Amino acid sequence: MSGNVQLLNDTLAAARSEGRSALIAYLPAGFPSVDGGIEAVKAALDGGADVVEVGLPHSDPVLDGPVIQTADDIALKGGVRIADVMRTVREAHAATGKPILVMTYWNPIDRYGVERFTAELADAGGAGCILPDLPVQESAPWREHADKHGLATVFVVAPSSKDARLAEITAAGSGFVYAASLMGVTGTRESVGAQAEDLVRRTRATTDIPVCVGLGVSNAAQAAEVAGFADGVIVGSAFVKRMLDAPDETAGLEGVRALAADLAKGVRGKA
């Protein structure tokens, strides 16, 4: 079975044809439970997200701030496994028809086996993977399997990336480019900052694939700001925080759905 990279490409193209940015949500698998995590992904998509990144919980998430680390710890203590991540992708995609990616560090894939991981992700209906710590120069084996199974390979660029490095990264990637809006870890911030706009401009000079901005966006006003210069707006910690702060799972799911609806207005310039 082939993965859904084309669905991802079509979804991003459709948003662009509507004159807006795509809304991309991030939620970790297995949080607050495997079933609860699946419902959270569905709630984000039902609320208005165009795409979801399902996080594969990791014991040492170097890119992730305290909010996502807390959720990852809960998922890991609950015994989440890669099979649960695949189930999350499968059930969320089957329920919504929308593109679902996995965001993961490289070590779990390396241990699991690249061929096995890509084959299972494609079979689950996944659209691709975001790999924040896989160096491009070491990525050929992954990309070979991902291409074979119809999966996007999304790399992360940062404000510190030099122009030549940006060109190297974007030439190897597919689906979209994840532009980290600032140096540091994930988390909500008061301002997304001018660094992000400059990074998008420099990245776009090297590629035609969409450039989506993450790290720091937490409300509709910030989403509208980023939507003014990026092809997609990525929101993670704010969704996770809605689940963490809720008195119960039902309230958390409503919070996720409501935030997605609010952010969906933001990316449409209606904040």
Side-chain angles (χ1 to χ4, degrees), residues 6-271:
Q6 193 56 52
L7 175 63
L8 175 64
N9 293 340
D10 291 346
T11 298
L12 295 171
R16 179 180 286 183
S17 73
E18 294 171 14
R20 67 174 179 89
S21 286
L23 173 59
I24 303 173
Y26 166 93
L27 286 155
F31 166 75
S33 62
V34 176
D35 288 344
I38 292 167
E39 292 305 312
V41 172
K42 286 156 63 175
L45 291 165
D46 291 343
D50 299 289
V51 180
V52 165
E53 305 169 4
V54 172
L56 195 161
H58 195 274
S59 57
D60 184 27
V62 292
L63 184 69
D64 298 311
V67 170
I68 291 174
Q69 284 188 19
T70 299
D72 277 6
D73 285 346
I74 291 168
L76 290 167
K77 285 174 183 171
V80 70
R81 295 289 182 267
I82 288 177
D84 300 313
V85 177
M86 298 299 178
R87 183 183 153 215
T88 302
V89 172
R90 184 186 304 278
E91 294 193 15
H93 172 65
T96 65
K98 293 187 177 181
I100 316 286
L101 300 103
V102 169
M103 185 165 188
T104 178
Y105 298 98
W106 179 245
N107 187 54
I109 295 178
D110 193 36
R111 290 180 62 186
Y112 197 72
V114 176
E115 170 58 24
R116 181 184 176 196
F117 190 94
T118 52
E120 290 183 8
L121 182 55
D123 186 62
C129 244
I130 301 159
L131 300 159
D133 66 341
L134 176 63
V136 171
Q137 60 269 28
E138 297 174 19
S139 68
W142 161 266
R143 287 186 285 125
E144 177 185 342
H145 289 290
D147 289 348
K148 181 173 77 172
H149 289 291
L151 299 170
T153 297
V154 178
F155 289 113
V156 178
V157 298
S160 60
S161 302
K162 305 297 185 192
D163 290 351
R165 178 69 173 157
L166 288 176
E168 182 183 7
I169 292 169
T170 58
S174 57
F176 63 90
V177 182
Y178 187 126
S181 65
L182 35 76
M183 302 304 292
V185 297
T186 59
T188 61
R189 290 175 171 82
E190 293 299 314
S191 171
V192 178
Q195 278 187 319
E197 188 167 1
D198 180 64
L199 177 58
V200 170
R201 178 188 59 76
R202 293 194 297 118
T203 305
R204 277 192 176 144
T206 70
T207 185
D208 291 329
I209 67 174
V211 182
C212 304
V213 170
L215 273 68
V217 177
S218 62
N219 57 50
Q222 290 174 333
E225 176 192 352
V226 174
F229 57 81
D231 298 298
V233 180
I234 303 168
V235 180
S237 295
F239 280 112
V240 176
K241 198 167 188 304
R242 290 291 177 107
M243 294 293 293
L244 282 170
D245 291 348
D248 55 53
E249 188 175 302
T250 300
L253 295 175
E254 282 304 315
V256 166
R257 192 175 287 106
L259 178 59
D262 197 37
L263 293 166
K265 291 177 184 175
V267 299
R268 288 165 172 81
K270 299 176 181 176

